[in-house]
Amino acid sequence: MGFSFSLDEKERFDPTQFQDCIIQGLSETGTDLEAVAKFLDASGAKLDYRRYAETLFDILVAGGMLAPGGTLADDMMRTDVCVFAAQEDLETMQAFAQVFNKLIRRYKYLEKGFEDEVKKLLLFLKGFSESERNKLAMLTGVLLANGTLNASILNSLYNENLVKEGVSAAFAVKLFKSWINEKDINAVASSLRRVSMDNRLMELFPANKQSVEHFTKYFTEAGLKELSEYVRNQQTIGARKELQKELQEQMSRGDPFKDIILYVKEEMKKNNIPEPVVIGLIWSSVMSTVEWNKKEELVAEQAIKHLKQYSPLLAAFTTQGQSELTLLLKIQEYCYDNIHFMKAFQKIVVLFYKAEVLSEEPILKWYKDAHVAKGKSVFLEQMKKFVEWLKNAEEESESEAEEAPDVFELSCLL
């Protein structure tokens, strides 16, 4: 393809001349984006893309060089072969994304310049029309999905003025719709996590509206239920981490159990954390407060002594069968992952049974079909006699059953 413009040294250092060359070339390609991509590929050998990256991207997005604030300078040449003059639909934006993708793959050094350009464009959003914003949002979503852009560019959306006027949230709706359409919510979450953006999405709203309730209502009504659920889950994970941290601090201070129980119950209610989750956190916290003996024959005795002390705390959060089952699985996993505890599993379960942390039904269910694969043959073998005793105890009278645990514990724990 031949282009009817000439280049000399002077043009290489003048953005206006650079702009004229690009716009003249685009006037010849027209809106055929394949031809546009070829033209940009060829021009990189003759024009100084490195120096004029900002001018190049301004033209491809807005049709000409942008003045501060996002307006096009009146006296400048402009072109309609750009994102802002294109049709407002996802298919067209996907085609434009390919143009940028090819250009940056061909000239790798443009990567940083393009990222800076998008950050700048996001800060200029108020200077663009609603339609222009929508196109830019769709394009950005596609470029985030295909890896041309890094999710750190979203930082620009946390600009106070954009947030206050609701521009950021509206833009984010279009952006996330096109991003999730290209990939899925898990891929989006992964990209956000890599740049520590996964816990910042609520900052798209002013401080007085930064709640999970407001976020989920806004984005669900906009058709982004997946994003709403993701943010709700992130919030829950954050609350659980905080709870565990505080629990460990309270235990290391030796706070009374009644105070710890009260605190945990308040947190459960406030953050909607279910009891089975809480018992897992308490178990982890209880087990992390001790320096365990490395000798297998001594660690069981140490564990029984330690867990006996914490039984009242654990018992306060095993009021549901599912919580008990969760605790059994946590004990199984812990004893398997910490090799010195392999022989202590059954002793811990018997202790918790006697201390009314665990009851008969969940133990039998765990034994029958609710256990996990980790060390199951060893643990099932350990539990065999106790499970038989539990089954027999069901058939005995209550008074006989009350006496039996002591007899059993003696024979098991000696």
Side-chain angles (χ1 to χ4, degrees), residues 79-149:
T79 175
D80 284 338
V81 185
C82 65
V83 171
F84 283 178
Q87 273 182 269
E88 189 187 324
D89 61 58
L90 187 56
E91 201 179 334
T92 307
M93 292 306 110
Q94 284 167 332
F96 263 100
Q98 281 307 307
V99 172
F100 288 105
N101 205 2
K102 284 174 185 170
L103 177 62
I104 289 158
R105 275 213 308 263
R106 175 73 176 82
Y107 300 104
K108 275 296 272 185
Y109 59 79
L110 285 174
E111 211 165 46
K112 175 78 173 68
F114 186 53
E115 210 158 278
D116 292 342
E117 173 75 10
V118 175
K119 286 177 186 172
K120 177 191 82 174
L121 291 169
L122 297 188
L123 290 173
F124 287 174
L125 284 178
K126 279 166 64 182
F128 305 145
S129 70
E130 190 182 345
S131 174
E132 287 168 349
R133 282 181 215 159
N134 289 344
K135 291 170 202 172
L136 184 60
M138 286 188 274
L139 175 73
T140 308
V142 176
L143 291 167
L144 282 162
N146 68 26
T148 306
L149 284 174

Side-chain angles (χ1 to χ4, degrees), residues 211-376:
S211 69
V212 179
E213 285 64 36
H214 181 77
F215 187 99
T216 50
K217 186 174 187 292
Y218 183 91
F219 279 93
T220 303
E221 282 174 2
L224 279 163
K225 192 163 183 276
E226 292 164 294
L227 188 69
S228 299
E229 284 171 0
Y230 166 70
V231 166
R232 190 179 283 282
N233 288 339
Q234 283 302 106
Q235 194 68 8
T236 306
I237 290 164
R240 289 173 191 182
K241 281 180 182 166
E242 275 303 305
L243 174 58
Q244 179 139 32
K245 192 176 155 203
E246 181 58 30
L247 262 173
Q248 284 167 342
E249 284 174 16
Q250 289 177 350
M251 286 178 194
S252 60
R253 285 197 306 261
D255 290 6
F257 287 161
K258 63 174 174 42
D259 295 350
I260 298 178
I261 290 166
L262 191 66
Y263 164 75
V264 173
K265 285 188 173 171
E266 281 172 2
E267 288 298 304
M268 283 170 74
K269 195 174 175 184
K270 188 169 84 182
N271 294 300
N272 200 22
I273 308 174
E275 190 186 80
V277 170
V278 168
I279 195 64
L281 298 179
I282 294 173
W283 166 261
S284 301
S285 302
V286 166
M287 296 307 277
S288 67
T289 58
V290 180
E291 193 66 51
W292 294 109
N293 201 303
K294 293 285 181 278
K295 291 184 177 168
E296 193 175 43
E297 62 274 15
L298 298 175
V299 84
E301 194 181 328
Q302 187 190 7
I304 295 301
K305 195 176 171 187
H306 178 66
L307 292 169
K308 197 169 192 174
Q309 184 193 338
Y310 279 94
S311 290
L313 177 61
L314 290 152
F317 299 98
T318 53
T319 64
Q320 304 165 11
Q322 191 53 51
S323 307
E324 294 183 52
L325 209 46
T326 300
L327 179 57
L328 277 160
L329 292 170
K330 291 285 179 191
I331 301 166
Q332 181 186 348
E333 285 171 1
Y334 188 90
C335 291
Y336 178 80
D337 293 338
N338 298 274
I339 195 84
H340 304 307
F341 280 81
M342 283 295 276
K343 289 182 180 172
F345 177 77
Q346 180 257 20
K347 294 178 181 181
I348 295 171
V349 175
V350 171
L351 168 77
F352 283 166
Y353 176 76
K354 279 188 64 60
E356 296 183 351
V357 175
L358 294 172
S359 57
E360 183 181 307
E361 206 176 311
I363 295 172
L364 294 175
K365 182 166 176 50
W366 172 87
Y367 186 82
K368 187 184 174 197
D369 56 20
H371 49 260
V372 287
K374 289 183 171 183
K376 76 169 187 179

